[in-house]
Amino acid sequence: MSNPVLNDKFLENERVLDGETMSINGTISKTLILFLCLAITAIYTFSLVFAGYIDHAQMLTIGGAVVGFVIALVMIFSRNTTLFRFLSPVYALAEGCFIGGISAFFESFWTGIVAQAIICTMVTILMMLGLYRVNLIRATEKFRSVVIISTASICAIYLIQILASFFGRSIPQIFTASPIGIGFSLLVVAIAALNLILDFDFIEKGSEAMLQKDYEWYGAFGLMVTIVWLYLEILKLLAKFAMSRE
């Protein structure tokens, strides 16, 4: 996760000298558990929409977004490792409700778009993991700074758009299916994909630095945050392509 506090000093201060420590395999296992939790609530919320329970699905979608955001803030700024173990699954369940509802919305307009987004997300993850494993892309300090600044800039743009929408305004072009809008989405997808490198790097360095065992949950949480973001951005990009052809 592109979290500026996850630097070398952080890794040094959080290491343990005895007992169980963070491992790559352990983090992978925790990641699979979180995605199982996410898949269960995502499928449930998705199915509610097409079963006609729109109000129930909307409640779960909004509730999931709010709960997920609050838990993410607690996870990012907390140093209580016990919380990581319990809050990570709750976050995954909440995020599942959110992306399940959002996915159903897109699927209702463009049949098959969710399956396409899932496939594209999986391919991107495998591609970035491959590039990381063969050392073609490394999380140097310069790389980390560029990705973090780029991610923060995207967050600022989204925040401005949200605030502008309250006044019936919108940032011109970039949220439309115009060439500029598609180009912006391609850029955001690229930045989201590069954030995966930071996640892989944290998991690897955390294992080498012998962080506490519960940091496996934190590594899995950070990886899931990035993958969910990547999936949503790919979903929006595919929707823009579909609209441009209509």
Side-chain angles (χ1 to χ4, degrees):
M1 182 172 46
S2 56
N3 188 340
V5 303
L6 299 182
N7 49 34
D8 293 336
K9 183 178 180 180
F10 168 81
L11 295 172
E12 178 69 27
N13 292 338
E14 296 295 325
R15 70 172 54 187
V16 295
L17 299 179
D18 54 20
E20 287 191 287
T21 60
M22 180 180 181
S23 68
I24 294 176
N25 288 337
T27 305
I28 293 173
S29 298
K30 303 300 190 299
T31 302
L32 293 176
I33 292 172
L34 295 187
F35 273 97
L36 177 61
C37 292
L38 183 143
I40 290 172
T41 51
I43 293 171
Y44 175 70
T45 308
F46 186 91
S47 63
L48 283 177
V49 174
F50 292 96
Y53 300 103
I54 306 298
D55 292 341
H56 191 186
Q58 288 179 338
M59 180 182 67
L60 288 175
T61 302
I62 296 172
V66 173
V67 172
F69 178 73
V70 172
I71 292 179
L73 290 179
V74 174
M75 289 282 291
I76 290 172
F77 294 105
S78 173
R79 286 294 173 266
N80 186 338
T81 57
T82 303
L83 286 178
F84 299 161
R85 191 187 319 160
F86 295 104
L87 289 184
S88 294
V90 177
Y91 174 82
L93 292 170
E95 279 296 287
C97 292
F98 172 62
I99 68 170
I102 294 296
S103 297
F105 170 80
F106 279 88
E107 186 70 16
S108 65
F109 282 95
W110 303 283
T111 302
I113 192 172
V114 170
Q116 295 173 30
I118 292 173
I119 293 172
C120 289
T121 301
M122 293 176 62
V123 169
T124 302
I125 294 169
L126 292 175
M127 181 181 68
M128 299 307 294
L129 179 59
L131 292 173
Y132 180 78
R133 294 305 298 171
V134 299
N135 291 327
L136 286 180
I137 302 180
R138 301 302 297 176
T140 63
E141 285 304 313
K142 183 177 181 179
F143 176 88
R144 186 184 303 276
S145 298
V146 171
V147 173
I148 290 175
I149 291 172
S150 300
T151 303
S153 299
I154 292 169
C155 290
I157 290 173
Y158 281 146
L159 179 59
I160 293 171
Q161 172 64 17
I162 292 172
L163 294 175
S165 66
F166 291 137
F167 301 96
R169 303 285 184 175
S170 177
I171 300 176
Q173 296 295 320
I174 65 174
F175 292 103
T176 67
S178 66
I180 294 177
I182 291 174
F184 175 75
S185 286
L186 284 170
L187 175 63
V188 176
V189 167
I191 297 301
L194 291 176
N195 270 271
L196 289 171
I197 300 298
L198 301 188
D199 296 327
F200 298 150
D201 183 68
F202 170 71
I203 293 169
E204 184 176 41
K205 286 186 176 179
S207 176
E208 293 173 352
M210 297 184 297
L211 295 185
Q212 298 176 51
K213 186 70 173 177
D214 284 338
Y215 273 94
E216 291 176 352
W217 288 107
Y218 193 71
F221 158 77
L223 187 59
M224 191 179 69
V225 169
T226 303
I227 293 175
V228 168
W229 177 35
L230 176 64
Y231 165 76
L232 292 174
E233 294 299 339
I234 289 176
L235 194 60
K236 288 188 287 186
L237 175 61
L238 292 175
K240 287 182 178 180
F241 278 129
M243 286 188 289
S244 68
R245 294 193 298 266
E246 293 176 352

